[in-house]
Amino acid sequence: EAAVTQSPRNKVTVTGGNVTLSCRQTNSHNYMYWYRQDTGHGLRLIHYSYGAGNLQIGDVPDGYKATRTTQEDFFLLLELASPSQTSLYFCASSEGGCERLFFGHGTKLSVL
Amino acid sequence: AQKVTQTQTSISVMEKTTVTMDCVYETQDSSYFLFWYKQTASGEIVFLIRQDSYKKENATVGHYSLNFQKPKSSIGLIITATQIEDSAVYFCAMREVSSGSWQLIFGSGTQLTVMP
């Protein structure tokens, strides 16, 4: 079973703070994704990547940067965090663009 | 633009009965993939079942099956012989093929409660 590990599991920061969420997958998947989950909205795609050095913009990219340093590692950066970014963040990976997603356990971020 | 809609916010059923969760989608693409995922109370999200748009047969995996009605842009999830542990939030999702974006768009989810 594919393994996707997110860190940290919980994070609290203040408005204007700098936050990095990390994601590592160990199944050599090409595709990795960052989603945010908010009540009433389901899962919304922030950024995704289909390989090291590649970055694609999702549906809600404003205020977020992402970087795919290796095939295994995908980072989500919030350089000036705002309370509207308080959310549950999920990282996921897939072998191909049309294949099932494997999700991490999520990171709960609170911006005060 | 693609869109996925789940109008049922929550459903409650008795254990061992059959439940159907609705999902409708919008797409201009002639080829697409439809998925159902389950999110447990612990927050874990797992893949359940998939339907490819070009396949006429409804997908079935264990006690999960799909009711794919392409003319109606509808993909219902059917759970037979429900169990307490089926209580979760169920998400429908779609991925278009020809748009080239490889984005998976999710619906807002349906909370299923299975009662003893």
Side-chain angles (χ1 to χ4, degrees):
Chain A
E1 185 77 0
V4 180
T5 303
Q6 293 182 233
S7 62
R9 295 294 295 269
N10 290 281
K11 176 72 177 179
V12 180
T13 190
V14 295
T15 299
N18 214 322
V19 176
T20 297
L21 306 184
S22 303
C23 178
R24 166 165 284 198
Q25 54 95 4
T26 58
N27 286 76
S28 302
H29 285 171
N30 291 319
Y31 292 79
M32 295 187 74
Y33 314 81
W34 278 107
Y35 283 89
R36 62 176 287 172
Q37 184 177 28
D38 306 287
T39 303
H41 289 280
L43 290 150
R44 293 183 291 175
L45 183 64
I46 304 170
H47 290 295
Y48 64 106
S49 165
Y50 47 79
N54 176 266
L55 182 64
Q56 303 294 319
I57 294 173
D59 292 327
V60 290
D62 293 345
Y64 302 96
K65 293 184 179 179
T67 179
R68 180 90 177 267
T69 55
T70 64
Q71 187 176 31
E72 295 78 19
D73 297 304
F74 195 30
F75 300 93
L76 186 67
L77 296 82
L78 292 72
E79 294 183 333
L80 286 172
S82 73
S84 65
Q85 293 176 308
T86 293
S87 187
L88 182 57
Y89 291 86
F90 285 96
C91 176
S93 72
S94 66
E95 185 172 355
C98 297
E99 302 301 319
R100 57 181 285 193
L101 266 58
F102 293 87
F103 284 87
H105 284 88
T107 295
K108 184 176 180 181
L109 174 66
S110 298
V111 183
L112 306 177
Chain B
Q2 54 179 331
K3 185 179 180 181
V4 176
T5 302
Q6 297 178 253
T7 57
Q8 300 159 306
T9 305
S10 63
I11 301 175
S12 293
V13 300
M14 299 302 294
E15 191 179 13
K16 301 179 184 177
T17 61
T18 296
V19 63
T20 298
M21 282 174 273
D22 300 327
C23 175
V24 293
Y25 55 90
E26 296 176 22
T27 179
Q28 302 299 317
D29 206 339
S30 59
S31 184
Y32 47 90
F33 302 95
L34 300 163
F35 301 82
W36 279 89
Y37 287 82
K38 169 185 178 181
Q39 185 172 30
T40 63
S42 67
E44 183 183 15
I45 302 173
V46 296
F47 164 79
L48 293 178
I49 193 169
R50 160 181 165 170
Q51 179 78 40
D52 298 347
S53 64
Y54 58 87
K55 292 185 177 179
K56 293 184 178 180
E57 304 77 23
N58 290 320
T60 298
V61 176
H63 74 145
Y64 302 107
S65 62
L66 296 177
N67 180 18
F68 180 41
Q69 300 183 61
K70 195 170 183 178
K72 295 184 178 181
S73 297
S74 171
I75 184 75
L77 173 68
I78 303 167
I79 306 177
T80 57
T82 53
Q83 304 162 10
I84 301 297
E85 51 265 36
D86 290 325
S87 295
V89 178
Y90 290 81
F91 291 98
C92 174
M94 176 179 67
R95 169 166 286 153
E96 295 175 331
V97 175
S98 63
S99 67
S101 71
W102 302 120
Q103 291 194 37
L104 186 64
I105 304 299
F106 284 82
S108 56
T110 296
Q111 171 74 59
L112 175 67
T113 302
V114 181
M115 298 176 291

